[in-house]
Amino acid sequence: MSLAQRPTSGPPPSPVEPLATGRPAGPTGRAPEPAGPTGRTRFARELLGFAATGGLAYAVDLGLFVWLRGPVGLDPLTAKALSFVAGCSVAYAGNALGTYRHTATRGLRQYGIFFAVNVAGALVQLLCLAVSHYGLGFTSQRADTVSGAGIGMALATVLRFWGTRTLVFRGEGRDGSWTG
């Protein structure tokens, strides 16, 4: 009996009849749980690993920027450029050796793609700040912080997560993509 022909009421499906998942039903009429972590669990672990790595990279970026601006005395753009590259390097290493260690993709090409994804994220933050400050006229320090470091950071993080998982570390060992 196919799923389309199955009556809506009556006894549960037989244990040998396959469900929509293609697995035979268990004694309760439901498919048995798969062995190992589920797709949701893997996704949650990946997201948490990405967030932890990003937090560490942010701390390196901020700490190095403050040190380069203060005691070293570099101009703000040079200090930020150097701290950004250092933060990207820490994030790449953390993701390659931690979060996405099960993928086979490593190397200079992947680092270049990773760096480009992070530059795109930085541009998203700048775009949010520019739209808020110059387009909408919200010029207070609080508005700049909310738009650049709040909304911009949230959107940039989504972009970075998507880019990192689908463009950089898209190797085997992961079930599907959250992008559909």
Side-chain angles (χ1 to χ4, degrees):
M1 174 184 306
S2 73
L3 290 175
Q5 298 169 336
R6 183 178 297 150
T8 55
S9 63
S14 73
V16 293
E17 185 178 338
L19 296 175
T21 62
R23 296 188 309 249
T28 63
R30 297 189 346 218
E33 292 296 319
T38 64
R40 266 193 187 168
T41 304
R42 280 190 296 266
F43 181 78
R45 286 181 186 167
E46 184 178 344
L47 190 59
L48 288 172
F50 182 84
T53 299
L56 178 63
Y58 177 75
V60 167
D61 185 346
L62 180 63
L64 186 58
F65 176 75
V66 168
W67 181 71
L68 291 173
R69 276 295 287 140
V72 176
L74 293 179
D75 66 282
L77 294 180
T78 302
K80 186 59 190 169
L82 292 173
S83 70
F84 180 77
V85 170
C88 283
S89 298
V90 167
Y92 178 79
N95 281 309
L97 300 173
T99 308
Y100 298 103
R101 67 187 169 276
H102 59 277
T103 63
T105 53
R106 304 279 189 285
L108 200 52
R109 181 176 184 274
Q110 280 71 32
Y111 179 77
I113 296 168
F114 185 82
F115 190 80
V117 166
N118 279 277
V119 167
L123 292 175
V124 165
Q125 287 181 264
L126 289 173
L127 181 62
C128 287
L129 179 59
V131 166
S132 171
H133 192 92
Y134 300 107
L136 299 175
F138 298 127
T139 58
S140 71
Q141 185 176 358
R142 176 178 284 168
D144 288 347
T145 302
V146 167
S147 63
I151 296 167
M153 179 65 90
L155 294 175
T157 300
V158 170
L159 174 69
R160 287 178 177 120
F161 182 65
W162 172 83
T164 297
R165 108 184 289 261
T166 58
L167 301 175
V168 182
F169 299 109
R170 62 175 184 256
E172 312 79 40
R174 192 173 65 229
D175 292 336
S177 170
W178 67 285
T179 58

